[in-house]
Amino acid sequence: MNNKNQKEKTRRLRKWFKRKNKRTKAFYLDDISGEETEDEGDQKLDGILGISRSWEIDRCTLTNELRIFVGTWNVAGRSPTGSLAVDLEEWLNLKDEADIYVLGFQEVVPLKTRNVIGVEDPRKAANWNLIIGKTLNNKVGCPWMTPLSTPISSDNYNYARSSELVRENSLRYVGTPVRQKSMRQQDEAFGGSIYKLVASKKMVGVFVSVWMKKELLQKYCISNVKVCSVACGIMGYLGNKGAVSVSMSIEGVSFCFIAAHLASGEKKGDEGKRNHQVLEIFKRTSFNPSPQENYNPLPPNILAHDRIFLFGDLNYRLYLEDSLARHLIDKQDWKALQQFDQLRRELEDGGVFQGWREGNIEFAPTYKYSSLNSNRYSGDLQSKSGEKQRTPAWCDRILWYGKGVKQLSYLRSESKFSDHRPVSALFSTPVFVRATNPAAIPTHDILRTGTPPWRGEPINSTEEARSTLLSLLVQDIAGTPRNMHLI
């Protein structure tokens, strides 16, 4: 019976097209004649319907700009304290509010043997997340409630779609951390916070924490959130050096955030060690999909993502004698100093950083300061006895890879919490929102009887034909199951 009704509907639609063709030739259907077979007519009609379907879905594609804050800070093994909130506020630049905050830390624990080879202590990551969450949410005027239960751990997170929460103009999704708390439980623990923790991972001293505005989780499809850690320190496999990475998709655009801590040293050839570790991180980082993600697989490795951010204590130094480096710093001649920067040279030469970009550096080197609460670089003329001699350098950096990324700022902050100064960058990137679920396409937008939203002129016969065709499409859409996609 269903097949018979479908054939009858198709015949009526073909006759309608033939009548319209005699008057307007709007869809160029002259070749649909009465002599063709029914199958041939159906094939041609299917092609027309496919074109119209694609045309309408393209009209339902919107471009939104996301503001992403990326920060990196080597905290020299110090634990967060209540007084650190002031330093965090200055670093996060909350006056210029972002949609997503991606924060990378190095040396959140001292790099001692027991920390490198011992069991991970989740309390360190939890303490950092607590103070970050408090700083973000209190500053934007939303009270932050200290959770009474076990804090969110640094395990994998994965956001799954929920068809029950589809609204008129957008698809909403709820998040469920894998083997962890539901979003509702998080809300109960953390209050009605504006920013939500969506991913967190710690490996020895390297730590990454990703926060999003709650409205983004409601407005966009945030899916396939995964984390991976790669240790490439002592013997090439211990976690005193390496990277932790977060992968996710936002409306089908894949993002990868990599917080890294690379090999130290300013001897000739040490930059080669850092290059090798970057290659190892790219090669060994993998994001394995779970069975339920087969319909929309995550990029399997870092370089397969659309937009990638690499940040951390990358430890690249200057090809310059200490006295000359300090002379240029005193003159604040950052352009001249950059000519001797190892990482800038690697970016220009290609190699492991082929295609990567970095904003112009217009701030002083971020390492190494003499001691805590000091504005003096280590090893200068006023050095204390036994103080390490280090040529100042831009060790703390933020790079990006991929199209569609615009850097809005690149700054350092002046916190004296450690011997490194924190660095931040603000980015803008487009996200293309496509209503792939038929239920998300407002019928009243498709069946405009007045001026179409995509044109400024009155509807002519061609537009009338298109509108009638779309009205028939909507009738079919109404009977389409929610889990079926038009494209």
Side-chain angles (χ1 to χ4, degrees):
M1 181 64 69
N2 289 338
N3 290 337
K4 185 177 180 180
N5 291 339
Q6 183 63 37
K7 288 183 179 180
E8 180 62 27
K9 183 187 295 184
T10 301
R11 277 195 291 269
R12 290 201 306 269
L13 190 54
R14 287 171 56 216
K15 289 179 181 179
W16 175 83
F17 267 116
K18 289 169 69 176
R19 289 197 304 272
K20 282 292 179 183
N21 178 59
K22 291 178 183 179
R23 288 159 38 201
T24 66
K25 298 185 184 297
F27 291 90
Y28 302 98
L29 299 176
D30 304 82
D31 54 344
I32 300 182
S33 62
E35 288 75 27
E36 68 189 356
T37 67
E38 188 170 305
D39 288 341
E40 290 172 344
D42 289 347
Q43 289 174 3
K44 292 178 181 178
L45 186 57
D46 287 343
I48 295 166
L49 290 173
I51 293 171
S52 300
R53 220 173 239 144
S54 298
W55 175 87
E56 175 58 29
I57 290 300
D58 286 342
R59 298 300 177 182
C60 293
T61 300
L62 304 175
T63 303
N64 292 338
E65 291 289 328
L66 286 183
R67 291 163 61 86
I68 302 177
F69 177 100
V70 178
T72 179
W73 194 359
N74 185 318
V75 294
R78 299 191 66 192
S79 298
T81 61
S83 61
L84 183 62
V86 176
D87 293 17
L88 280 174
E89 285 183 17
E90 194 255 341
W91 177 40
L92 300 179
N93 191 23
L94 295 174
K95 294 179 181 178
D96 198 7
E97 193 175 313
D99 299 307
I100 303 173
Y101 284 86
V102 183
L103 308 180
F105 297 85
Q106 304 80 44
E107 297 190 41
V108 294
V109 297
L111 299 183
K112 299 178 180 179
T113 303
R114 67 172 180 269
N115 291 328
V116 174
I117 64 176
V119 178
E120 286 283 351
D121 183 357
R123 291 175 297 179
K124 291 290 185 180
N127 289 339
W128 275 104
N129 282 331
L130 284 174
I131 195 168
I132 294 168
K134 183 176 181 179
T135 303
L136 282 174
N137 288 290
N138 282 355
K139 189 63 178 179
V140 295
C142 181
W144 175 261
M145 296 175 60
T146 303
L148 301 178
S149 55
T150 305
I152 298 173
S153 81
S154 56
D155 211 341
N156 290 5
Y157 279 67
N158 177 43
Y159 282 81
R161 64 174 56 194
S162 172
S163 59
E164 290 78 18
L165 293 179
V166 175
R167 287 195 172 179
E168 181 174 335
N169 288 323
S170 65
L171 298 178
R172 297 186 62 198
Y173 297 87
V174 295
T176 303
V178 176
R179 297 185 304 278
Q180 299 297 332
K181 296 182 178 182
S182 68
M183 287 289 286
R184 178 177 296 178
Q185 289 173 316
Q186 291 181 44
D187 280 339
E188 291 173 355
F190 291 93
S193 53
I194 293 177
Y195 287 94
K196 296 289 184 180
L197 176 63
V198 296
S200 175
K201 181 66 177 176
K202 175 181 171 295
M203 179 192 70
V204 187
V206 187
F207 172 58
V208 67
S209 186
V210 181
W211 298 73
M212 282 189 188
K213 281 186 175 179
K214 184 168 65 173
E215 65 187 59
L216 262 66
L217 300 175
Q218 299 169 335
K219 182 177 180 181
Y220 299 127
C221 172
I222 314 296
S223 61
N224 294 342
V225 183
K226 296 286 185 179
V227 295
C228 180
S229 59
V230 170
C232 49
I234 300 170
M235 297 182 293
Y237 284 93
L238 291 185
N240 60 308
K241 295 294 187 289
V244 289
S245 303
V246 176
S247 174
M248 69 175 64
S249 293
I250 304 177
E251 288 294 341
V253 179
S254 57
F255 290 81
C256 190
F257 304 104
I258 311 137
H261 192 184
L262 303 181
S264 61
E266 55 184 12
K267 299 190 301 294
K268 184 178 181 179
D270 284 342
E271 68 275 16
K273 298 178 184 178
R274 295 185 269 274
N275 292 343
H276 176 72
Q277 289 179 346
V278 171
L279 282 175
E280 286 294 297
I281 292 166
F282 289 166
K283 182 174 66 175
R284 290 163 48 194
T285 299
S286 62
F287 304 100
N288 299 319
S290 55
Q292 63 266 29
E293 294 163 15
N294 290 334
Y295 72 95
N296 184 23
L298 191 71
N301 54 57
I302 288 174
L303 297 179
H305 289 74
D306 298 318
R307 290 153 202 175
I308 313 168
F309 299 87
L310 171 64
F311 48 98
D313 182 359
L314 305 186
N315 254 323
Y316 286 91
R317 308 302 174 93
L318 297 173
Y319 291 117
L320 193 63
E321 292 183 1
D322 182 79
S323 59
L324 293 176
R326 294 176 189 270
H327 174 69
L328 292 175
I329 292 170
D330 290 339
K331 292 176 60 179
Q332 297 187 11
D333 192 345
W334 313 134
K335 185 175 181 180
L337 198 62
Q338 283 183 70
Q339 296 178 12
F340 303 95
D341 177 66
Q342 291 179 350
L343 181 53
R344 185 56 57 114
R345 190 167 299 180
E346 294 294 337
L347 289 166
E348 292 172 353
D349 294 345
V352 296
F353 291 108
Q354 184 173 1
W356 287 81
R357 300 178 63 190
E358 181 185 27
N360 190 41
I361 301 175
E362 296 181 349
F363 50 82
T366 55
Y367 174 82
K368 170 179 174 53
Y369 282 87
S370 175
S371 61
L372 306 182
N373 301 315
S374 172
N375 280 325
R376 181 175 56 81
Y377 287 111
S378 177
D380 66 7
L381 296 176
Q382 303 176 12
S383 296
K384 300 177 183 178
S385 177
E387 187 175 83
K388 291 182 178 180
Q389 177 71 32
R390 292 287 185 271
T391 300
W394 288 296
C395 291
D396 309 278
R397 311 289 278 269
I398 300 172
L399 314 179
W400 77 90
Y401 182 93
K403 297 179 180 179
V405 177
K406 180 181 179 182
Q407 188 177 68
L408 305 178
S409 65
Y410 194 21
L411 308 168
R412 81 168 218 169
S413 300
E414 299 306 321
S415 170
K416 300 175 185 178
F417 186 73
S418 87
D419 55 356
H420 287 251
R421 294 295 185 260
V423 172
S424 66
L426 184 63
F427 298 94
S428 174
T429 183
V431 171
F432 304 99
V433 183
R434 177 170 296 201
T436 55
N437 190 318
I441 304 174
T443 304
H444 60 80
D445 281 347
I446 296 179
L447 298 180
R448 294 282 189 187
T449 56
T451 305
W454 56 87
R455 291 284 178 88
E457 69 272 8
I459 298 178
N460 55 25
S461 58
T462 301
E463 299 297 334
E464 181 184 354
R466 182 178 290 133
S467 177
T468 306
L469 171 62
L470 293 176
S471 70
L472 291 169
L473 287 175
V474 172
Q475 293 176 22
D476 284 342
I477 288 171
T480 304
R482 282 183 179 266
N483 60 350
M484 296 293 291
H485 293 178
L486 288 180
I487 56 173

